[in-house]
Each structure stands twice: as structure tokens, then as C-alpha cells.
Amino acid sequence: MTSTEPPTPTGVQIPIQLLDPGLPLPAYAHAGDAGADLFARESVVVPAGSGRVLVPTGVAIALPTGWAGFVQPRSGLALNHGVTVLNSPGLIDSGYRDELKVILVNTDPSEDYQVVRGDRIAQLVVRPVAEASFEPVDVLPPSGRDVGGFGSSGK
């Protein structure tokens, strides 16, 4: 594959270390899903009013070079409880080998949210990534968009 060809979406084998054998492996809820559910290793309370907690998942992975993991929110938690992933998407580089942990934030102004050990708390999307090289230039080539941004295309 050359750098101009898009990556072919195929399965990739990810070595995984179970740090807590009482929890399931990350799993896809449905065939064809992009995100595999990650599970809470500990029960914690996510305080209302932008409270945040770091929740361990009980797994560590070894992504191959050229791949990255992206930790993303679960839509049901966000819609029903206002709980989301604070640094979404959380980036997992291929060289990272420690336990996967998820920063949850509770946007509900008044209701704390109880995470129970074994709850699905986030999704892991694994994607091929390109390593870019950066070349300094005096002037960037023009584009149809040019310098418009931050709402320049309308509401």
C-alpha cells in the first residue's frame, strides 16, 4: 500500500492482557459495529455538575504500529444520563501498554451517576493511522475553503 491509497478496512488482531479476569473482553454489541464496548473495573460515582472520574477497564492492549485506538462515549449514557467521555475521543497510541482508563464526566446539573463494576462505559474504535511528515513552506496552496472556519459555512 502506498501513502496515497486509503487503508483497507479489515480485521486486526489485538493482543490483550486481562488485568481483571472477572470482566468480559471488549465486545461489539452487533455485527458490523465500529466500537467495542469497554467495561468498568470499579464501581464509582460520577458527581453531578461536571464531576469527573477516571475509570479503569481491566484490560491493556498492544496495538500494532500504524494503528490507534479511540475511546468514545456511549450514546445511551450521554442521552439518558448526561455522562460522556471528557477527552473524546481519547487517543490510545500503539506504544501504550498500561491499563485502558476512561475519563467520564457527568453533565447533568443535579443527578450523580452511579457506575457499577461491569457496566459498559465507553466504546473503543480501532483504526489504521498514517504517520505524517511536516514540510515547512512559505505559502500554503489555495483551497476552496481557504481560511474560513469556526462557523464560516453558516449555522
Side-chain angles (χ1 to χ4, degrees):
M1 176 167 68
T2 69
S3 61
T4 59
E5 296 174 356
T8 304
T10 59
V12 61
Q13 288 291 115
I14 305 292
I16 188 165
Q17 184 179 17
L18 296 175
L19 305 173
D20 187 332
L23 292 173
L25 289 171
Y28 297 94
H30 305 282
D33 283 356
D37 289 324
L38 295 172
F39 301 88
R41 185 177 191 179
E42 300 172 354
S43 295
V44 296
V45 173
V46 188
S50 299
R52 55 193 178 271
V53 294
L54 184 63
V55 184
T57 65
V59 295
I61 59 175
L63 293 165
T65 300
W67 291 79
F70 300 91
V71 178
Q72 299 184 202
R74 296 193 64 245
S75 57
L77 279 180
L79 175 65
N80 299 322
H81 305 286
V83 174
T84 190
V85 176
L86 187 59
N87 63 326
S88 181
L91 173 63
I92 303 166
D93 291 310
S94 62
Y96 182 74
R97 295 294 184 268
D98 203 355
E99 182 172 14
L100 301 185
K101 296 179 182 178
V102 178
I103 304 170
L104 293 179
V105 62
N106 184 353
T107 65
D108 189 287
S110 57
E111 294 290 322
D112 292 347
Y113 182 75
Q114 174 70 50
V115 174
V116 177
R117 173 184 160 78
D119 281 355
R120 296 176 297 160
I121 57 168
Q123 298 181 84
L124 175 64
V125 176
V126 177
R127 296 283 306 150
V129 293
E131 183 176 315
S133 59
F134 299 91
E135 179 183 343
V137 297
D138 292 329
V139 178
L140 295 175
S143 75
R145 181 176 177 173
D146 205 26
V147 295
F150 299 101
S152 65
S153 63
K155 277 187 170 180

